[in-house]
Amino acid sequence: MKIALIGYGKMGKAIDAIATAKGHEVILRIDADSQHLLEKEQLGQADVAIEFTTPETAYHNVLKCFEAKVPVVCGTTGWLEKLPAIKELCSKYQGGFLHATNFSIGVNIFFEVNKKLADLMAAQPQYNVWMEEIHHTQKKDAPSGTAITLAEQLLGAVTRKTNWVNASSEQPETLSIISKRIDPAPGTHTITYTSAIDDITITHTAHSREGFAAGAVTAAEWLTGRQGVFSMRDVLNL
C-alpha cells in the first residue's frame, strides 16, 4: 500500500516503522509543519491514510481524506461528539472510515472479555465496579478513549450504574474512572468488581506502542478498497 501518515509523533513513527517493515510505502508524513500536504493533489496519491493527531484537528483531517477519496483509519480519541457527523459525511462522500479508541488486538479482545464479565455481573448487586487507567504524561485526554469504551460497555450491561465520572465517587449509580498519568506507561486499564467477600479484577497492560501501531497497520490493510464505516470488531471478526 501507499500510506499517508497524518500525525507524526511517537505513534506515527511507530506506525511508519511497522508499515515499512511489512513492505508498504509511506508516501506522506504530515505533521503540524506540513499541513499543505493534506490537499487532494498530494493526499489523493495514497491508497489509505492513518490519522493519529489531536481532538482539535481530527475532524478536519478526516474530512480532507474523504474529499481526496482516500479511506482513513483514525485513532485519535477525545472527539467522540463529532463522530456522528463524520459518519454521515463518510456516506455522502462514499468513503471508507475506520475509527477505534484502541487498535491493539489484545485490547479489542479485552473489550469482549469486559462485555462478557459485565453481563455476568449485572445480576450481582452486591458488587460495586470501578475502573483505573494509567498512561504516560503526554496523553492529551482523560479518561482515555479506551477507558470510555470500557465504561460504555459496562453501563450497557450493569444497569445499576447510570453514568461515569473521571473521579472517585461514592454515588452508587456512578462508575468511577480514576485516571493516572505516569511515565513511561503506554497504557494500563483495570476494571474491579468489589464486594465485602471478594474482588474480581481484569487488567490489560500494554508494554509498548508496538501493539497499537501494528493494529493500525492491520486495520489499514483491511480497509483499503472498502466503503463504509467500520471498527476493529470488523477487522478481527469479533
Side-chain angles (χ1 to χ4, degrees), residues 114-129 153-161 193 200:
N114 179 53
K115 288 191 292 184
K116 179 63 177 177
L117 181 57
D119 287 339
L120 293 171
M121 300 303 289
Q124 304 298 329
Q126 69 272 29
Y127 286 89
N128 187 35
V129 58
Q153 291 176 336
L154 281 168
L155 295 179
V158 182
T159 55
R160 58 186 178 273
K161 295 292 185 181
Y193 292 84
I200 300 172

Side-chain angles (χ1 to χ4, degrees), residues 77-222:
T77 59
W79 64 295
L80 293 177
E81 73 283 353
K82 292 184 178 178
L83 279 177
I86 280 292
K87 291 176 180 179
E88 288 183 13
L89 287 168
C90 182
S91 178
K92 173 185 174 181
Y93 283 95
Q94 297 182 318
F97 176 68
L98 193 155
H99 179 266
T101 56
N102 198 307
F103 287 91
S104 160
I105 292 172
V107 165
N108 281 276
I109 293 171
F110 188 65
F111 286 153
E112 300 303 307
V113 172
N114 179 53
K115 288 191 292 184
K116 179 63 177 177
L117 181 57
D119 287 339
L120 293 171
M121 300 303 289
Q124 304 298 329
Q126 69 272 29
Y127 286 89
N128 187 35
V129 58
W130 61 282
M131 189 187 314
E132 179 182 87
E133 57 102 354
I134 306 170
H135 282 85
H136 52 86
T137 56
Q138 293 179 332
K139 177 74 173 167
K140 292 181 171 61
D141 51 324
S144 68
T146 300
I148 292 173
T149 298
L150 292 164
E152 289 175 345
Q153 291 176 336
L154 281 168
L155 295 179
V158 182
T159 55
R160 58 186 178 273
K161 295 292 185 181
T162 60
N163 61 90
W164 62 262
V165 296
N166 191 212
S168 179
S169 174
E170 298 300 323
Q171 298 300 315
E173 72 278 8
T174 298
L175 173 67
S176 295
I177 305 176
I178 309 301
S179 295
K180 296 180 179 179
R181 296 295 175 260
I182 303 168
D183 286 328
T188 297
H189 295 85
T190 299
I191 297 154
T192 300
Y193 292 84
T194 186
S195 75
I197 297 171
D198 57 13
D199 289 355
I200 300 172
T201 301
I202 57 173
T203 299
H204 178 274
T205 302
H207 300 307
S208 72
R209 289 185 178 84
E210 210 167 288
F212 312 132
V217 174
T218 298
E221 292 169 336
W222 186 91

Side-chain angles (χ1 to χ4, degrees), residues 41-53:
E41 292 73 18
Q42 291 85 10
L43 194 55
Q45 299 174 39
D47 298 314
V48 66
I50 302 177
E51 201 271 0
F52 276 84
T53 58

